[in-house]
Amino acid sequence: MDADSTLLARVACGDEHALRRLYERHAADMLRLLRRLTSDTGTAEEILQEAWLAVWRSAGGYRGEASVRAWLLGITRRRAHDRLRRAALTTVDVDEAPEPADVRADVEGQVLATLGHEAIMAAVRRLPTRSREVVVLAFVDGLPYRDIAEVLGVPVGTVKSRMAHARARLVRSLRNEGTEGT
């Protein structure tokens, strides 16, 4: 059992200190996810509190199939979608999301490195919501496919499929944009 799993098990037994430790470790990631889903800071903070209340109540339901971080982000995402379904949906512009931390030295990375940030972000914005969600969770949040599957509540194969479709669309979009500019 890793440290987060141990803390979550303690939360399931009513340990408030363990909940506080998990909050310190993961609240920033959860809030970043919420800010992508809603542009209203107050709403994001309210949903964050609702998510932590849900964590407190459902900690005993954690099965360990994904990381605690992915489980927490999944709860956060579900709380946000529940809340936002009841209100008019507002989103944060993808341009506000931080760039991926590292650019790998593969062909894909080299192509992306030569393109302008604006062109890439515009292509990401044009992706369908489901594809864009997978791309952001993978490249901005750095989640592995298994954790993305937990956050989105879909099988890992669906995540892989959405990522493959997103990559293909991005390549086509960026290639078309590159040929238009010449």
Side-chain angles (χ1 to χ4, degrees):
M1 239 185 177
D2 67 16
D4 283 345
S5 296
T6 301
L7 287 172
L8 194 56
R10 288 176 40 205
V11 169
C13 294
D15 186 337
E16 292 178 23
H17 178 71
L19 182 70
R20 192 172 312 116
R21 293 283 312 274
L22 279 175
Y23 182 91
E24 291 166 357
R25 289 180 180 186
H26 299 285
D29 290 338
M30 294 164 70
L31 187 57
R32 185 171 48 251
L33 172 63
L34 291 168
R35 286 189 175 147
R36 281 197 312 267
L37 297 173
T38 179
S39 59
D40 181 56
T41 303
T43 300
E45 291 171 354
E46 288 174 13
I47 297 169
L48 180 66
Q49 295 309 312
E50 292 171 14
W52 281 106
L53 182 58
V55 169
W56 177 255
R57 291 179 176 158
S58 63
Y62 174 68
R63 296 183 308 265
E65 294 172 0
S67 69
V68 171
R69 178 176 183 243
W71 186 77
L72 293 171
L73 290 173
I75 287 174
T76 303
R77 181 178 174 273
R78 286 187 293 279
R79 288 291 170 207
H81 283 263
D82 289 346
R83 170 69 93 76
L84 297 174
R85 267 188 220 118
R86 291 180 254 138
L89 181 63
T90 56
T91 58
V92 173
D93 191 358
V94 175
D95 287 332
E96 294 177 18
E99 291 185 52
D102 62 64
V103 178
R104 293 182 171 79
D106 59 351
V107 173
E108 204 171 72
Q110 291 172 5
V111 169
L112 291 175
T114 62
L115 294 171
H117 174 75
E118 289 301 317
I120 295 169
M121 295 313 295
V124 169
R125 278 193 303 274
R126 288 190 297 268
L127 289 173
T129 302
R130 289 181 174 188
S131 297
R132 186 173 54 244
E133 209 169 30
V134 169
V135 167
V136 171
L137 287 169
F139 295 113
V140 176
D141 290 327
L143 292 178
Y145 288 172
R146 182 178 54 109
D147 288 355
I148 294 170
E150 175 71 18
V151 169
L152 298 178
V154 298
V156 173
T158 301
V159 172
K160 291 178 181 180
S161 174
R162 288 179 186 176
M163 182 60 81
H165 290 294
R167 285 182 179 194
R169 287 183 82 136
L170 286 171
V171 167
R172 279 193 309 272
S173 179
L174 294 169
R175 187 178 296 141
N176 289 342
E177 196 167 302
T179 58
E180 289 173 8
T182 57

